[in-house]
Amino acid sequence: MSSSEVRAAVPGDGACMQTFMDEIFRPFQRPEQRRWAQTYLWALIHVSGKKTPRRMALAKPLPSAAAHGLHQFINASPWEWAPVRRRLARQVAATTAPHAWTVAELIIPKRGEHSVGVHRRLDTVTGRTVNCQRALVFFLASGSQCYPVGWSLVLGGTWDSDRERRRRARIPGSEAGRTPADHVIGYAAEAAAQPQLPRVPWVLDLTRCDDAAGVLAGLARQRADVVCEVPPDHPVLLTGQHTPVVTSVSALMEVRHARQTHVLLRQTADGRVRAVPVHTYAGTVAGTRTGIGDDVGARPYRILERPDPDGRQPPRYWLTTLTDHRVEEVLRLARSHTAALSAVATLRRRFGVLDFEGRSFPGWHHHMTMASAAYVYQRLTCAPGGAAPPPEAPPRTPAAELTGAPN
C-alpha cells in the first residue's frame, strides 16, 4: 500500500496539521516521507494504547497494511532527525515566550538485551536494578508548560566497546563514551549556536549527578546562565581571600553571619498564608572546576538555601549565575524542572515514548522525534485536545533527574 493511499484514509486535522507539517518536516526531500510522517504523527495523537506500527495500524481508519510503511518510516528510512528537532525548537520559541531550558531523565524498561543502549542499571529511587534504556529529554519551558525538543540516548558499558554490537545498532562513532554531562553540555552548545533560539537560563537538577561541577563548568564556558539544584556537599570556592578556600554549600550556609534571610509568602491548600524563609549567601562563590587557560572558575554564583517548612526534610540548595535577580524569580525558574517531570509523565502515558520496539539507534531517535512533534503539535495548534492540559504529577518511579548512577 502506498503512502498516498494510507494518508487518504487518515482524517487529519485540516489546515492546522498541514501548516505544522510544512514547517517542521520541510527538511524531508521526498513527498513520501512527509506523507508517512503525517500518518505517524496522526496515529501518535489519536490512537490509544501502545504506540507501535502494528498496533497503530489496527486502529480505524488506518488499514492494517499501513503497519509495514510505518515501520519502514521509523526503522529504515534514512531521514535525519536533528534538522526536524531544530525546526521544532524554533517553532516553540517563535510561538511561545520561553524562559528556560531544562532536562529530565527517562528510564525505559526493556526485556532482553538487544534493544539499542539497553543495560542493567540501579534505579536510585527504588533501589532496584532494572533492565532499561536511559534517555535525556531536553525541554524549552514557557509559562507552566515544557516542550520536548531534543533527545539523547545515554550509552555505556559494552555499548561503548563492543564494535559488532554498535555496528548492528548503527550507532555513530561520535556517540562513544558520552556521559550525561557530555550530552547536556553538547546540546547546550548546539542550542547556543542557533540564533533563532533564546539565550535563556539552564535549569537543572544536579543533586544526583556524579559530575555536577563538570556540567557547571561546561555551561560556564558557554557563558550560559544557570539555576541548578545541587547536593549539600557540592564544593564551591571562596575567592574573596588571599588564599582561596574550598568548602561545601551546606557548610557555608551554616555560618549565620554570612547569610541573608528572605521571607516568601505562600498560600497553603486550605487558603492560609504561610511564611517560608529562604537563605542566600551574602557574597558570591566560584566553581571549583576550571579549564586550562580559561576563567570559568572565577564566574560568580549565588547560593540559595530553602529549608523544609515542616522540618522533616533536609534543606535544598541552588547555585545560580543570576546574582542580580530577586529570590522569587530564581525559585520561579527552578520550578521549570518540576514542569519537565510532568511533561515526561505525559510523554510516557500518551505519546508512546516507552513503546519503541526496534533495535537501531536511528530508529530510536526517529520514534522519539515523532513523539516530540506530536506533543508540541497538540499543545501549539488547534488539534483536538490541543489546549494545554493542567500539569500532570510526575511518576514516583523511575528517577527523573539528571543522575550519575553507574550503568
Side-chain angles (χ1 to χ4, degrees), residues 23-376:
E23 177 61 31
I24 302 304
F25 296 97
R26 188 176 301 174
F28 286 3
Q29 299 298 316
R30 301 201 305 268
E32 180 177 317
Q33 289 179 318
R34 294 192 185 188
R35 288 194 288 266
W36 281 116
Q38 181 169 338
T39 305
Y40 205 90
L41 184 73
W42 182 91
L44 286 174
I45 294 171
H46 294 279
V47 175
S48 60
K50 199 169 185 180
K51 307 297 176 72
T52 64
R54 181 177 58 83
R55 291 290 299 274
M56 289 191 293
L58 292 175
K60 294 182 179 180
L62 287 179
S64 59
H68 176 73
L70 293 171
H71 174 84
Q72 290 292 103
F73 170 70
I74 291 297
N75 291 286
S77 184
W79 56 276
E80 297 184 17
W81 55 86
V84 175
R85 292 177 186 172
R86 285 196 291 267
R87 300 190 75 87
L88 201 61
R90 293 170 189 171
Q91 182 74 0
V92 171
T95 311
T96 70
H99 60 256
W101 290 98
T102 190
V103 185
E105 185 178 68
L106 173 66
I107 298 299
I108 306 172
K110 288 290 181 182
R111 295 179 179 177
E113 58 181 23
H114 299 293
S115 297
V116 60
V118 71
H119 60 278
R120 296 190 64 78
R121 178 177 178 272
L122 177 67
D123 186 328
T124 55
V125 171
T126 65
R128 296 180 298 181
T129 300
V130 294
N131 199 60
C132 64
Q133 293 168 322
R134 182 186 185 191
L136 299 181
V137 196
F138 297 88
F139 294 91
L140 266 176
S142 178
S144 62
Q145 298 294 316
C146 277
Y147 301 89
V149 294
W151 293 83
S152 286
L153 182 62
V154 182
L155 305 173
T158 58
W159 289 102
D160 279 334
S161 57
D162 190 329
R163 293 184 179 180
E164 179 57 25
R165 203 177 194 193
R166 291 173 62 86
R167 185 193 64 78
R168 289 198 303 266
R170 291 185 283 159
I171 301 173
S174 59
E175 290 294 321
R178 298 185 70 191
T179 66
D182 294 331
H183 284 287
V184 173
I185 295 168
Y187 188 89
E190 293 174 11
Q194 299 181 60
Q196 300 93 335
L197 297 183
R199 293 283 291 183
V200 290
W202 279 82
V203 177
L204 301 174
D205 182 350
L206 301 177
T207 54
R208 285 183 283 176
C209 176
D210 60 0
D211 191 18
V215 172
L216 289 169
L219 294 175
R221 281 191 289 270
Q222 300 174 32
R223 296 299 173 187
D225 283 315
V226 300
V227 177
C228 294
E229 186 171 2
V230 295
D233 60 353
H234 182 81
V236 291
L237 188 67
L238 297 178
T239 58
Q241 308 176 54
H242 293 295
T243 303
V245 176
V246 176
T247 185
S248 68
V249 291
S250 59
L252 187 59
M253 296 303 288
E254 287 176 0
V255 182
R256 292 186 178 275
H257 72 269
R259 72 187 191 193
Q260 300 171 339
T261 299
H262 306 258
V263 178
L264 307 182
L265 299 180
R266 293 286 181 267
Q267 191 170 22
T268 61
D270 57 8
R272 293 182 299 171
V273 176
R274 184 177 196 177
V276 179
V278 177
H279 307 305
T280 60
Y281 179 59
T284 58
V285 298
T288 57
R289 176 78 67 86
T290 61
I292 299 174
D294 62 35
D295 61 348
V296 297
R299 193 172 195 203
Y301 294 93
R302 187 184 193 188
I303 302 176
L304 277 70
E305 176 191 60
R306 193 180 75 182
D308 180 45
D310 300 317
R312 299 173 183 174
Q313 300 293 330
R316 298 170 66 183
Y317 300 90
W318 285 267
L319 283 179
T320 180
T321 56
L322 304 175
T323 57
D324 58 347
H325 283 52
R326 292 166 56 88
V327 170
E328 296 92 330
E329 295 173 351
V330 174
L331 292 179
R332 190 178 301 117
L333 283 169
R335 287 196 289 272
S336 300
H337 184 260
T338 302
L341 301 186
S342 296
V344 167
T346 303
L347 286 165
R348 288 166 54 94
R349 184 175 63 87
R350 295 181 58 190
F351 294 96
V353 295
L354 304 183
D355 299 336
F356 176 67
E357 294 181 343
R359 297 181 178 182
S360 75
F361 185 85
W364 185 91
H365 275 281
H366 287 165
H367 179 76
M368 296 307 182
T369 300
M370 295 305 300
S372 279
Y375 185 105
V376 171

